Each structure stands twice: as C-alpha cells, then as structure tokens.
Amino acid sequence: TANNNWTHPGQSAIIKINQVDVGFIGMLHPNLLENYRLPPTAVCDVNLNTICNIGVLNKYELVSKYPATSRDTTYIMDESVVVGDVLTILNREKPALCSQIKLCGYFKNESSTEINVSFRMTYQDTDSSLEMEQVNQIHKTFSETVINKLPCRFP
C-alpha cells in the first residue's frame, strides 16, 4: 500500500524494482473524490531518475540481424509422463543457439495410452548465419536429452 493520505488505502501499491521504491500506483482516496466531485480516478507516479540509477534501463538483448530457423521434435510417451517435465528438461538443457521453445502439438489416440507431444525449437545466432548441418547436429543432440532422461521415444 502506498504510504500517503490521498490514495485509497486498499487500492494502492508501491512500485519496486530490485527492492528499490521507484513509485506508486493507486486509486484516489474516496474523500478526495467526494470533495472535488471526481469520478473514480487512478494515479501513478514513477521516478525515472531512480530507475536509471539502479541500471534497469541498461539491460537489453541484442536483436540478431541473421535469420532464425526452427526444427520440430515429436516425442511419443505414455500419458502418465507430464508434458511439463519435458519442457523443464528442454529449458534446462537448452543450447546457447536455441532462442525459443514452444509446445506446438499434442495428440492422444483414444485406443492407446500413448501421447504424441511436439515442440518447435528456434535457433538463431547474433554473430553469423547458421549452417543447416550445424543446426541439425545441435537439434539432434538437444532433442535426445529428453529421450535420455524420460521414458519416451521418437516416432
């Protein structure tokens, strides 16, 4: 709750970045609304000097001028295997050139206890174009990490 007498005590908050107070946001106090005949009004105050001094604005990711490429991998597994566990392994073992992992397919055959789960991995380098053979080898090794850690297989 913001610590002032002109915001609503139950509808205001202090804005913090890295444990540093940089501002507040909230609704104006009902007494203030009544005294000045205002409709419900929100206010926000952010100290940009404080934000700049704690270095938040200095962090950014370089956008690559080189094209990205993607590869899909499908795993066949028993429905008892949690799909989130697959994603956890992929995120933990993600190679540096893999910029994104997305679940892109899920199929359950009614007559089986197996499911097919597909993920799309995007690869990109900020320093150069990736060669197809390089991406294929990285993707093969990366995809196999799940096979080595969970009871699943490739189609």
Side-chain angles (χ1 to χ4, degrees):
T1 300
N3 193 14
N4 59 52
N5 59 358
W6 47 277
T7 58
H8 192 295
Q11 298 178 3
S12 62
I14 296 171
I15 301 170
K16 292 183 177 241
I17 298 177
N18 297 336
Q19 309 305 320
V20 176
D21 293 359
V22 296
F24 68 89
I25 188 168
M27 297 299 291
L28 287 179
H29 197 284
N31 293 340
L32 197 63
L33 296 176
E34 184 180 322
N35 289 344
Y36 291 97
R37 291 188 234 152
L38 296 170
T41 305
V43 293
C44 180
D45 180 46
V46 177
N47 188 326
L48 293 177
N49 285 332
T50 303
I51 292 174
C52 289
N53 288 335
I54 60 176
V56 172
L57 298 180
N58 296 333
K59 298 178 183 176
Y60 62 92
E61 286 187 37
L62 184 62
V63 176
S64 180
K65 62 182 178 180
Y66 300 101
T69 186
S70 62
R71 302 288 187 277
D72 292 353
T73 297
T74 299
Y75 299 102
I76 298 175
M77 62 190 87
D78 189 77
E79 64 187 354
S80 64
V81 177
V82 179
V83 175
D85 291 345
V86 177
L87 193 54
T88 298
I89 291 168
L90 289 172
N91 280 315
R92 187 177 54 229
E93 303 293 330
K94 185 170 78 168
L97 294 177
C98 182
S99 60
Q100 189 175 59
I101 303 168
K102 285 186 177 180
L103 176 65
C104 65
Y106 179 92
F107 174 75
K108 164 98 174 77
N109 187 336
E110 296 299 323
S111 64
S112 171
T113 61
E114 289 186 329
I115 57 173
N116 293 10
V117 182
S118 299
F119 292 90
R120 176 161 295 141
M121 290 80 152
T122 302
Y123 299 92
Q124 189 169 31
D125 193 353
T126 56
D127 298 326
S128 65
S129 278
L130 295 172
E131 298 293 328
M132 187 183 313
E133 290 176 20
Q134 176 189 19
V135 173
N136 290 343
Q137 183 57 47
I138 291 169
H139 182 72
K140 180 181 182 300
T141 304
F142 179 39
S143 296
E144 289 172 350
T145 60
V146 174
I147 299 293
N148 295 330
K149 295 181 188 264
L150 290 176
C152 60
R153 61 185 168 82
F154 293 125

